[in-house]
Every structure is written in structure tokens, then in C-alpha cells.
Amino acid sequence: MTTTSGTSAGAAAGAAAPATTARTINLAWIALCLITIGSWWLAPAHFKNTVDPSVPITALVLLLTFIKSRLVMRYFMEVRTAPQWLRRSCDAWLVLLHLSVFVIYLF
């Protein structure tokens, strides 16, 4: 099948894929930057001179860390194009890792 410009439909779809991928990676990078700034802003030292442990802030920072880790793995380590078993294994590992860190923090 050809379009009016004489190119095949497959070639047109292939040309759009790199642009979409680049845009997606740029959006992931922007999200990573925003999460980093947000995590930095959550530091209790910005609000008072002494730093007291805070379970809600720690939980939020660990959640943001989970999101950042998943974005890095998916978009910059190419796990999003890996087989499904590898994507699920990476997600399970991230959940286990972050839950373990939170449990260790609580005790």
C-alpha cells in the first residue's frame, strides 16, 4: 500500500516511531527532574533548623524514588522493550526493594 506521496505506509509509521520515542524519553527526563526537585523540597531542613524523622515524608520520598527508578529502568535501560517476564521481574524487584527499605526504616 502506498500513500499519495509515494511512500509506503510501513515507512511512514517507522518514521513516526523515533519521534514518538524521543518525545517520550524527553517527557520521562522532565518527570525525573521534577521528582528530584520535589524530593529535595520535601527535606525537613528547609522548614526548621533541626531534622526530626518523619514517617509520612519518608514514605513519600520512597514512593517518588520508586517512580524515578521505574522511569530510569523503563526508558533509559530499555526495559520497556524487553520481554514481559523481564518487565514484571524488574517491577517486582523494585517493589520488594522499596518495601524492604521502608520496613528497615520503621524498625
Side-chain angles (χ1 to χ4, degrees):
M1 179 176 159
T2 58
T3 61
T4 56
S5 65
T7 60
S8 67
T20 302
T21 302
R23 182 171 187 233
T24 304
I25 289 174
N26 285 338
L27 290 174
W29 181 79
I30 290 168
L32 288 168
C33 290
L34 291 174
I35 291 171
T36 299
I37 292 167
S39 296
W40 172 80
W41 184 80
L42 284 172
H46 294 292
F47 306 110
K48 54 187 175 178
N49 292 334
T50 60
V51 178
D52 300 321
S54 172
V55 174
I57 290 176
T58 302
L60 183 58
V61 168
L62 280 173
L63 177 65
L64 292 173
T65 304
F66 172 80
I67 294 168
K68 282 180 67 172
S69 302
R70 192 164 190 268
L71 284 172
V72 168
M73 287 177 75
R74 290 285 170 140
Y75 294 101
F76 298 99
M77 295 175 68
E78 300 296 331
V79 172
R80 75 179 184 286
T81 59
Q84 187 175 18
W85 68 267
L86 183 59
R87 290 192 309 263
R88 288 187 179 183
S89 297
C90 289
D91 288 342
W93 178 75
L94 283 175
V95 168
L96 181 65
L97 175 70
H98 286 84
L99 283 177
S100 299
V101 168
F102 190 60
V103 167
I104 289 169
Y105 172 77
L106 291 176
F107 296 104

